[in-house]
Amino acid sequence: MAVTPPDQKIWWNEPIHRLELGWIVIAFLWGLFMFFFMIAWHFIGDQNLSTETYRIQPSAFEAKVEAFAEQYQVGEESGVPVVRPPAGEDVFMLARLWEWWPVLELKKDQSYRIHLSSLDWQHGFSLQPTGINIQVHPGYEHVITLTPTEAGEFGVICNEFCGIGHHQMTGRIRVVE
Amino acid sequence: MTAIDVGSAGIAGATAEFRTCGYTGLKVDLAAQRLIKANAVAAVIFLLLGGLMGLLVALTRWPAVHLLPAEWFYLILTGHGANVLLFWIIFFEMAVLYFASAILLNCRLATPKLAWLGFALMVIGAVLANIAVLQGDSTVMFTSYVPMKAAPHFYLALILFAVGALIAVGVFFGTLVVARAERTYEGSIPLVTFGALTAAIIAVFTIASGAIILIPTFFWSIGLISDIDPLMYKVIWWGMGHSSQQINVSAHVAIWYAIAALVLGAKPLSEKVSRTAFLMYILFLQLASAHHLLAEPGMSAEWKIVNTSYMMYLAVMGSMIHGMTVPGSIEAAQRRNGFDKGVFEWLRKAPWSNPAFSGMFLSLVMFGFIGGISGVVLGTEQLNVLMHNTLYVPGHFHGTVVAGTTLAFMAITYLVLPLIFQREIVWPKLAQWQPYLFGIGAAGISLLMMGAGTLGVARRHWDLTLTDAAHAFEYPPAAFLMMGLNGLFALLASAGGVIYILVVVATVLKGKRLDTADVQPLTFPLHQGAKTVSEYGSEGTVKLPGTIVLVGIFFAAFVLYYFVNWKYLSDLWLFR
């Protein structure tokens, strides 16, 4: 039994059950497949999280985002600037206690280089209802090339716990045709 | 402490007191027995506390109830994580380690005094952590990601608890050495002890990672260190956070084998395969903390892919092997016991009314289907972006830690009570239903949280309606429905948890004593008609069609679900 020492002292020479052997082969091949599929998706897939990252002081990032918002601001919504950057442009969004700033207006099927960083604690960029979830760190500027494929209003929710105002922390990305 | 002294060690060896187990004929070291009791009791107390907190969390996330105010919700959620994921599970694991060493090896426990010191430190740490959380300035969640800061004694409490656990692990290793030196067993250690050894080795790595990150974090919280890099913190913290889950897996897999042996007389199909599968845990999973960092900036794709999978998912393979050999060994034992008709007579006529068996088998099935499959999907580099930090994540780990580990621990309790506490279980009818209630509840909350997470619902989030948010957003109505149902299943799981605690407490206090001479002896294996399976290796001649069907269903579900998620991913906006 499993609670007593093996009956045969030389247990490592016992035969392996056929079913065990078959299952090990299947599990092994499936594991190999899953490994290679992650690599393959970098070539065949259109959804691969960028790893382009720069170290940056929160205050420096804040200055960049403010300059960006001032340059392309087209309106205001709940006291937050609405920013419409030209297609293909560098776009900035910052996370801080407890808001995503500013509101972005993007064009469908155009690519943008989105720069994400936090000014204080960690936050979670959760773009809904599409379902893109990215961790946002203070001190790290993460650049993601994003191409919206559908028009509409999208919410940015914080899904990394960031204190008592965590559930008030939302932002908005609007995609127009 | 003079325990290191050769003379006193010799005296300890000479003075260790034993009783002879009335059922198994094993020598039981009374010092080990007392420690097992103390750790098990502490575990159950923290399960009660943490479970109650979990219920409050579920009732708050139930939109129609929305019980706690926001501040309390986050506080209680922090306490829930610490109490059940750390204190309940690790206290219980310490009991498992003492059982698998001193009791199964027929041996005295090495340095019981040191073991008590470890226990005391763990209790102090656990109590202090609860005080810190309840004081309200340590609401940092289980993960306590910097630069969010908790009170210094929160970190100190975790460090004390970890040191205590490390001492207990040391006593376990010491006991193995003593058993070998004093020749208390023949040949190799039993498979269950081997599984416990796996858990203990991973525990050393886990606690080392915890020390490396929590000690500087403690210094940071008292102002001696100015800054801790949040990304570095996360990489090392998960060296503890993820590996500790691997301790749980090793421990509960060892328990699956133990229950299959004690209840059905099952033998592993082959020692070689089962032990190699445990070894894979040691070699390939403790560094896989990378899969908690897949949505993070700063790490290369190569680093993520290699570290989550170690080229070929060898640790997943370890679990898949156990997932086949455990039911396989049960089928082999049952067929030898005469339940040989058709494909599934062995399973139909298994002792489903024995809570040890039913709990163990439910744990096995749900750990594989719910926790296991979702874990691999969640840990796939690209797929992680779909559900990172959504409720899918707690859905997944309630499948592993609640439906898997906790249920397995509950199941073995029904054997520990008569064997170690020497009490007959009171209210056996109630105990019989307990694993089903708890199991269905746990499966429900796991699946519903995974469902809500798939719809984008954030984890650790007080307000599903986002009423106070600057920019309104509405989750789909299905998410509200799921969170309501999640509350109902949480009630079910809580009922199962309460029954478990009632049965345990009543049995320990009021159960009929089994250490008197006139008791009916239990004969192992417990299941009627079961007899110990004869020869090793001869399992090779038994056909196991039932197990083939079971693993076939599992594999089909795995592959299907894996590709469904790739389909979801391919529908997202494009990003690179």
Side-chain angles (χ1 to χ4, degrees):
Chain A
M1 294 200 293
V3 289
T4 50
D7 293 353
Q8 298 179 11
K9 276 194 169 179
I10 314 295
W11 49 263
W12 52 89
N13 278 344
E14 288 163 9
I16 296 178
H17 195 286
R18 287 230 313 273
L19 177 54
E20 282 184 309
L21 207 57
W23 184 238
I24 289 168
V25 170
I26 290 173
F28 179 72
L29 293 177
W30 174 236
L32 272 185
F33 174 84
M34 290 194 295
F35 170 70
F36 283 112
F37 202 76
M38 285 194 286
I39 298 171
W41 194 261
H42 280 272
F43 300 99
I44 61 172
D46 293 318
Q47 291 85 7
N48 286 289
L49 188 60
S50 148
T51 57
E52 187 180 344
T53 310
Y54 305 94
R55 282 187 185 276
I56 190 163
Q57 286 298 322
S59 53
F61 188 74
E62 185 177 23
K64 275 179 19 179
V65 184
E66 276 171 1
F68 157 78
E70 203 171 321
Q71 190 178 358
Y72 298 118
Q73 181 167 0
V74 291
E76 205 177 85
E77 204 172 294
S78 325
V80 180
V82 178
V83 180
R84 188 190 299 151
E89 192 60 34
D90 283 65
V91 173
F92 295 83
M93 185 179 256
L94 65 77
R96 66 179 154 213
L97 305 171
W98 285 284
E99 63 174 347
W100 297 99
W101 194 94
V103 171
L104 298 177
E105 208 171 280
L106 308 179
K107 269 212 170 82
K108 186 176 169 239
D109 295 328
Q110 298 290 332
S111 297
Y112 298 85
R113 277 169 57 81
I114 310 256
H115 297 240
L116 290 174
S117 190
S118 163
L119 300 190
D120 33 57
W121 292 347
Q122 290 185 42
H123 296 283
F125 174 91
S126 178
L127 184 71
Q128 297 299 343
T130 43
I132 297 174
N133 304 284
I134 300 165
Q135 190 79 14
V136 181
H137 282 258
Y140 291 90
E141 182 176 353
H142 192 184
V143 188
I144 299 132
T145 303
L146 189 67
T147 313
T149 52
E150 50 192 337
E153 297 269 326
F154 296 89
V156 180
I157 290 147
C158 180
N159 67 7
E160 181 57 70
F161 173 68
C162 55
I164 186 63
H166 172 46
H167 50 273
Q168 297 161 6
M169 181 168 172
T170 57
R172 176 159 294 165
I173 292 180
R174 188 172 297 119
V175 181
V176 294
E177 292 283 349
Chain B
M1 206 69 222
T2 53
I4 313 152
D5 190 56
V6 179
S8 75
I11 291 163
T15 55
E17 288 176 69
F18 291 95
R19 69 173 173 88
T20 306
C21 177
Y23 314 127
T24 57
L26 283 174
K27 277 196 321 184
V28 177
D29 177 15
L30 293 180
Q33 177 172 305
R34 278 189 292 271
L35 275 157
I36 292 171
K37 284 183 183 178
N39 278 284
V41 167
V44 169
I45 290 170
F46 286 105
L47 175 68
L48 175 63
L49 186 61
L52 178 68
M53 288 173 157
L55 178 63
L56 293 175
V57 168
L59 290 178
T60 307
R61 298 220 64 168
W62 185 345
V65 181
H66 211 214
L67 185 70
L68 298 176
E71 203 167 332
W72 275 97
F73 170 76
Y74 293 127
L75 184 154
I76 291 292
L77 184 51
T78 306
H80 170 61
N83 280 310
V84 281
L85 200 52
L86 277 180
F87 307 147
W88 142 249
I89 285 182
I90 294 183
F91 272 117
F92 202 95
E93 272 159 1
M94 296 307 133
V96 171
L97 288 187
Y98 295 140
F99 181 82
S101 56
I103 310 294
L104 289 185
L105 296 180
N106 239 345
C107 172
R108 70 182 170 88
L109 194 74
T111 63
K113 278 187 182 157
L114 214 53
W116 282 109
L117 173 69
F119 177 73
L121 283 174
M122 286 170 72
V123 170
I124 293 169
V127 171
L128 187 61
N130 272 291
I131 291 172
V133 169
L134 289 172
Q135 280 171 336
D137 45 8
S138 298
T139 302
V140 292
M141 298 295 148
F142 179 66
T143 43
S144 58
Y145 290 151
V146 300
M148 194 186 295
K149 201 183 279 182
H153 56 294
F154 175 80
Y155 303 111
L156 188 65
L158 297 184
I159 294 167
L160 287 177
F161 184 81
V163 171
L166 190 60
I167 292 174
V169 170
V171 172
F172 169 78
F173 289 134
T175 306
L176 294 190
V177 173
V178 168
R180 184 122 203 114
E182 296 180 0
R183 298 177 177 279
T184 60
Y185 64 96
E186 287 283 313
S188 305
I189 56 175
L191 179 62
V192 172
T193 309
F194 192 87
L197 177 61
T198 307
I201 291 171
I202 299 173
V204 173
F205 173 86
T206 301
I207 294 168
S209 304
I212 291 170
I213 199 60
L214 285 176
I215 291 171
T217 307
F218 169 67
F219 288 144
W220 168 72
S221 73
I222 56 174
L224 289 179
I225 292 178
S226 64
D227 191 39
I228 290 186
D229 183 87
L231 203 52
M232 184 274 296
Y233 175 94
K234 236 171 151 168
V235 173
I236 304 174
W237 193 92
W238 280 110
M240 170 182 72
H242 183 72
S243 326
S244 62
Q245 303 320 307
Q246 208 52 39
I247 310 174
N248 303 342
V249 175
S250 307
H252 79 225
V253 171
I255 286 174
W256 292 346
Y257 282 112
I259 293 178
L262 289 170
V263 177
L264 294 160
K267 276 186 177 179
L269 296 175
S270 63
E271 293 279 350
K272 186 163 43 181
V273 171
S274 296
R275 284 174 198 239
T276 308
F278 274 121
L279 198 62
M280 283 176 164
Y281 287 157
I282 299 179
L283 295 178
F284 302 108
L285 233 157
Q286 83 285 44
L287 294 173
S289 52
H291 64 230
H292 295 269
L293 299 149
L294 295 176
E296 233 76 11
M299 253 74 73
S300 71
E302 292 84 353
W303 185 87
K304 289 173 180 174
I305 291 176
V306 169
N307 282 290
T308 49
S309 66
Y310 288 105
M311 326 296 194
M312 48 197 96
Y313 284 100
L314 284 169
V316 171
M317 192 171 142
S319 285
M320 284 174 75
I321 291 172
H322 290 305
M324 185 251 123
T325 58
V326 173
S329 68
I330 291 173
E331 180 172 4
Q334 282 283 80
R335 284 188 186 278
R336 283 174 191 282
N337 292 340
F339 303 110
D340 201 20
K341 271 194 233 112
V343 180
F344 280 123
E345 194 197 22
W346 64 276
L347 192 58
R348 270 202 323 279
K349 300 214 170 141
W352 291 106
S353 56
N354 180 334
F357 175 81
S358 62
M360 171 257 151
F361 207 86
L362 288 175
S363 160
L364 167 72
V365 170
M366 296 195 297
F367 177 76
F369 276 88
I370 303 175
I373 293 177
S374 67
V376 173
V377 168
L378 197 49
T380 302
E381 192 218 350
Q382 293 92 344
L383 297 179
N384 184 266
V385 170
L386 278 171
M387 46 260 196
H388 170 74
N389 264 355
T390 65
L391 258 186
Y392 190 95
V393 178
H396 151 69
F397 69 69
H398 280 73
T400 57
V401 178
V402 184
T405 306
T406 299
L407 193 50
F409 286 3
M410 287 173 167
I412 193 90
T413 309
Y414 295 112
L415 298 179
V416 168
L417 288 173
L419 284 175
I420 299 295
F421 284 85
Q422 296 175 277
R423 299 276 192 170
E424 193 173 72
I425 288 166
V426 297
W427 309 319
K429 280 273 172 235
L430 202 58
Q432 198 175 311
W433 286 102
Q434 189 273 329
Y436 295 101
L437 261 181
F438 187 81
I440 292 168
I445 55 174
S446 304
L447 290 169
L448 286 159
M449 279 197 279
M450 279 161 60
T454 307
L455 296 174
V457 177
R459 70 184 291 198
R460 297 169 166 174
H461 197 281
W462 177 70
D463 190 6
L464 196 58
T465 58
L466 295 161
T467 318
D468 302 333
H471 306 277
F473 178 78
E474 275 179 38
Y475 284 115
F480 284 78
L481 178 68
M482 286 191 195
M483 293 317 291
L485 289 173
N486 177 64
L488 285 175
F489 277 94
L491 285 174
L492 211 58
S494 302
V498 167
I499 292 174
Y500 169 75
I501 289 167
L502 282 179
V503 168
V504 170
V505 171
T507 301
V508 168
L509 297 178
K510 292 262 181 252
K512 193 171 141 203
R513 295 192 72 91
L514 295 174
D515 50 358
T516 48
D518 58 331
V519 227
Q520 273 277 308
L522 294 168
T523 38
F524 285 95
L526 288 172
H527 185 39
Q528 225 170 18
K531 47 188 179 283
T532 309
V533 181
S534 54
E535 253 305 281
Y536 267 100
S538 64
E539 256 58 82
T541 59
V542 178
K543 288 207 170 12
L544 303 170
T547 303
I548 293 178
V549 173
L550 290 181
V551 295
I553 295 172
F554 172 80
F555 191 66
F558 194 165
V559 173
L560 191 68
Y561 187 68
Y562 181 75
F563 282 113
V564 163
N565 277 282
W566 283 104
K567 173 77 182 83
Y568 281 149
L569 183 77
S570 68
D571 290 339
L572 290 189
W573 294 8
L574 319 183
F575 53 91
R576 61 193 153 78

